[in-house]
Amino acid sequence: MDFEIPSCLTDQPALSEAYLAYQSNRQTLNESGLKVAACGVYNAGKSSLLNTLVDRFDAEAEAFKTGDVRVTTEVSELKFNQLTLVDMPGVDGSSEDDETAWEGILRSDYFLYVHRIRAVEFEQSELDFLKRLKDEVDNIDSRLVLVISQIDDVSSDEDASRNTATIRDTFIKAVGFEPEQTFSVSVTRYVKGMREGKQGLTTRSGIPPLKQWIDVISSPPAQAHWERLRTDRLNSQRDALAAQILALAEQVDSDIHNAMEKRQSRLRALEEDMRGLLQTFKGALARIDSLA
Ligand SMILES: Nc1nc2c(ncn2[C@@H]2O[C@H](COP(=O)(O)OP(=O)(O)OP(=O)(O)O)[C@@H](O)[C@H]2O)c(=O)[nH]1
Ligand SMILES: [Mg+2]
């Protein structure tokens, strides 16, 4: 739906944009069920992970496209039962991709932060992204979980535990809190387990606990919680917009006041000049009279 910009804001591009963003957010949040978004650097396995959550991982039936190169460049959504899954571009993409990812963030309720187990070092762009989450997203500590992905990619349990501990530490330092949940997953094991009916592999994929957690957050008892967080978010966005509009109104008021002051002082100066002129005329007249 297109929203109309109030006429008083039409020549205020930044405010118009903030107003439209608020209206469109409000509409999206009022109309959609719970949104869970996957974020992380490119190739972290975000799209593959979301595909397992809806059990659509066969190449020809993938819910979200996957691949070795940078694949996801736009925010895309998939409705699944009462839930909407949101796939986002890698946070280390172009700054345009990052802004696109950010739009997805602002409209999502929960975030799966996906990080490959082999990537022990975080990239600077990830740290910047996590800091932005921490600074700009309300109640992030109850909305962000860590997903350590591609755990089949390390050969020993020892390496896996060491890498997991380091990744968790860096994550905690970046966001400033311990995630309520950390999931260690392997899409490869899950898909193989499902295709070949190998229950052991499916269990060792770590995907079932993640699915259970999603069932819990999307269950009716949890609904009041995320709906309240949404309302809080919309209210603070509305308050910020109202404060901007108020600041603009005060500026306009002070501009009018200054213009009137200027006009008054010009009028006073004119009046003074006229008086001076009148005195000069009177003096001249008096001199003419005295000559007569
Ligand atoms: N070994 C292994 N490879 C995986 C796993 N999950 C995904 N991959 C592979 O990792 C690559 C990237 O996966 P995607 O799901 O496309 O990654 P993405 O994070 O969505 O990437 P972008 O959309 O480009 O940001 C693909 O080649 C996947 O097959 C896993 O659990 N184990
Ligand atoms: Mg992707």
Side-chain angles (χ1 to χ4, degrees):
M1 179 182 165
D2 285 339
F3 297 99
E4 210 169 301
I5 300 171
S7 56
C8 60
L9 298 183
T10 44
D11 60 347
Q12 301 290 330
L15 260 184
S16 298
E17 208 175 291
Y19 175 83
L20 290 179
Y22 167 68
Q23 290 293 11
S24 120
N25 248 353
R26 194 165 72 118
Q27 188 187 33
T28 313
L29 294 182
N30 284 342
E31 286 176 359
S32 78
L34 180 75
K35 283 185 181 228
V36 178
C39 42
V41 293
Y42 105 96
N43 249 343
K46 305 176 290 293
S47 306
S48 309
L49 180 70
L50 294 178
N51 287 338
T52 64
L53 298 180
V54 294
D55 282 319
R56 281 178 51 187
F57 36 74
D58 288 333
E60 60 287 355
E62 277 184 343
F64 298 102
K65 219 168 155 329
T66 67
D68 278 338
V69 288
R70 188 184 302 283
V71 176
T72 312
T73 53
E74 287 179 353
V75 176
S76 60
E77 298 190 347
L78 178 81
K79 281 210 168 90
F80 179 67
N81 301 330
Q82 299 306 310
L83 179 75
T84 301
L85 293 176
V86 186
D87 192 16
M88 299 208 289
V91 296
D92 55 344
S94 63
S95 59
E96 215 171 83
D97 276 1
D98 284 1
E99 284 316 305
T100 310
W102 204 249
E103 280 170 34
I105 291 284
L106 294 177
R107 291 172 181 203
S108 301
D109 299 291
Y110 284 95
F111 312 103
L112 310 172
Y113 192 78
V114 187
H115 185 96
R116 272 179 305 136
I117 195 161
R118 276 170 67 105
V120 179
E121 297 267 322
F122 277 52
E123 294 174 24
Q124 188 55 45
S125 57
E126 289 188 273
L127 298 174
D128 294 345
F129 179 81
L130 290 171
K131 180 168 178 347
R132 192 169 172 189
L133 273 183
K134 171 187 165 204
D135 293 343
E136 295 182 32
V137 179
D138 293 341
N139 301 111
I140 190 65
D141 52 342
S142 65
R143 299 166 60 200
L144 174 69
V145 299
L146 175 61
V147 179
I148 298 179
S149 62
Q150 311 190 6
I151 57 170
D152 56 282
D153 236 6
V154 285
S155 41
S156 75
D157 287 352
E158 209 177 43
D159 284 353
S161 316
R162 193 171 347 100
N163 289 13
T164 300
T166 313
I167 291 167
R168 255 180 68 83
D169 280 354
T170 312
F171 179 86
I172 291 168
K173 266 195 204 115
V175 293
F177 59 86
E178 273 199 37
E180 281 179 12
Q181 304 279 347
T182 299
F183 300 98
S184 293
V185 301
S186 162
V187 167
T188 307
R189 281 184 197 154
Y190 181 81
V191 171
K192 196 166 165 30
M194 291 297 280
R195 282 197 185 127
E196 298 174 11
K198 292 185 174 157
Q199 183 61 45
L201 262 186
T202 312
T203 306
R204 288 204 310 121
S205 72
I207 298 286
L210 176 56
K211 284 189 167 195
Q212 274 160 21
W213 176 74
I214 288 186
D215 284 346
V216 170
I217 58 169
S218 54
S219 67
Q223 189 167 347
H225 174 69
W226 59 262
E227 281 187 344
R228 185 174 52 74
L229 294 185
R230 265 187 189 187
T231 309
D232 288 352
R233 287 205 297 286
L234 275 178
N235 287 348
S236 57
Q237 195 183 8
R238 183 205 55 204
D239 292 349
L241 182 64
Q244 276 177 286
I245 293 177
L246 195 65
L248 175 68
E250 278 168 3
Q251 184 59 49
V252 169
D253 195 36
S254 125
D255 288 352
I256 291 175
H257 182 76
N258 289 342
M260 283 175 71
E261 284 271 290
K262 239 188 216 163
R263 195 161 161 261
Q264 288 290 347
S265 86
R266 272 208 307 270
L267 279 176
R268 272 197 298 273
L270 191 64
E271 210 179 334
E272 281 294 300
D273 288 351
M274 296 305 277
R275 272 208 198 98
L277 204 59
L278 196 63
Q279 287 309 322
T280 314
F281 275 130
K282 276 186 180 163
L285 269 181
R287 276 197 301 281
I288 291 169
D289 280 352
S290 69
L291 287 178

